[in-house]
């Protein structure tokens, strides 16, 4: 469902600038898009909506498995909507619905408007009568990629730390530290 994912990304960017005109523009990041697509497809195939997959995978763990040097801040908005097969999925209508639901939720809206995020990736997948969407937001916070052999203490002592939180509503800002650790439980 690449057309739906592209439309959601465009609507999120428009809304983001309304919520905070000083927010950085979001660039579509191929690595984040790949992870968001994987997450949406997994939720659709296994019929769940959660930040942690039944096998324990999270967007952060998938990102680190793909790029062990990545570090920065990672946020995630998830959503699912039912549709009637006879009507199909109208890209414009569904993209707006997903955005509207996220804007109504404080944690989702905070992810949309968080001014430090400068990259995004969106994935959408369908199973039966449900469309699943994952949108990731990220910033490297000015941190350099972790070099092979760096310990977490070497990098942590040379960088600013940020707080992570999770409220269980489908929005998840997370500090991602070098070495595969995250600020998430």
């Amino acid at each position: 469902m690449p057309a739906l994912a592209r439309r959601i990304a465009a609507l999120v960017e428009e809304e983001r600038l309304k919520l905070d005109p000083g927010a950085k523009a979001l660039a579509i990041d191929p690595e984040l898009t790949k992870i968001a697509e994987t997450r949406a497809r997994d939720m659709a195939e296994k019929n769940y909506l959660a930040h942690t997959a039944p096998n324990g995978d999270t967007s952060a763990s998938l990102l680190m498995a793909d790029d062990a040097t990545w570090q920065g801040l990672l946020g995630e908005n998830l959503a699912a909507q039912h549709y009637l097969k006879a009507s199909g999925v109208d890209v414009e209508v569904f993209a707006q619905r997903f955005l509207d639901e996220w804007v109504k939720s404080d944690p989702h809206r905070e992810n949309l408007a968080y001014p430090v995020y400068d990259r995004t990736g969106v994935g959408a997948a369908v199973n039966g009568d449900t469309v699943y969407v994952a949108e990731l937001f990220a910033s490297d916070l000015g941190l350099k990629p972790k070099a092979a052999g760096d310990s977490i203490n070497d990098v942590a002592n040379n960088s600013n730390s940020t707080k992570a939180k999770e409220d269980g509503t489908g929005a998840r800002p997370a500090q991602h530290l070098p070495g595969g650790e995250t600020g998430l439980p």
Side-chain angles (χ1 to χ4, degrees):
M1 305 194 78
L4 179 60
R6 283 191 305 272
R7 187 62 186 138
I8 289 169
L11 289 175
V12 163
E13 181 69 6
E14 290 171 15
E15 187 66 26
R16 175 182 170 81
L17 295 175
K18 289 179 195 172
L19 293 170
D20 184 350
K24 293 180 180 178
L26 292 172
I28 301 296
D29 182 292
E31 188 173 32
L32 293 177
T33 299
K34 176 182 163 189
I35 301 299
E37 289 171 345
T38 298
R39 293 284 290 128
R41 189 172 45 255
D42 190 63
M43 290 187 297
E45 289 172 359
K46 296 175 183 163
N47 197 30
Y48 72 94
L49 181 67
H51 292 290
T52 303
N55 69 357
D57 284 344
T58 64
S59 292
S61 69
L62 293 173
L63 185 59
M64 286 303 297
D66 194 49
D67 180 1
T69 65
W70 191 91
Q71 58 182 349
L73 190 67
L74 180 66
E76 177 181 64
N77 282 359
L78 303 175
Q81 288 187 28
H82 293 287
Y83 74 98
L84 299 174
K85 289 183 182 181
S87 302
V89 176
D90 180 310
V91 168
E92 188 63 35
V93 170
F94 271 75
Q96 189 64 54
R97 284 184 193 164
F98 282 114
L99 176 67
D100 291 346
E101 288 304 311
W102 286 339
V103 170
K104 286 188 232 175
S105 159
D106 288 341
H108 291 95
R109 191 175 53 256
E110 288 169 8
N111 270 349
L112 294 176
Y114 192 62
V116 174
Y117 289 140
D118 57 4
R119 297 186 317 278
T120 191
V122 182
V126 69
N127 182 4
D129 65 349
T130 306
V131 178
Y132 295 84
V133 171
E135 180 163 18
L136 302 179
F137 303 92
S139 170
D140 64 11
L141 300 172
L143 300 171
K144 295 179 182 174
K146 179 182 171 285
D150 281 352
S151 76
I152 189 161
N153 292 329
D154 294 338
V155 179
N157 289 334
N158 294 318
S159 65
N160 296 326
S161 64
T162 59
K163 293 192 317 184
K165 70 177 186 176
E166 176 184 5
D167 73 354
T169 63
R172 189 175 206 177
Q175 177 184 3
H176 195 98
L177 301 173
E181 297 181 31
T182 68
L184 301 175

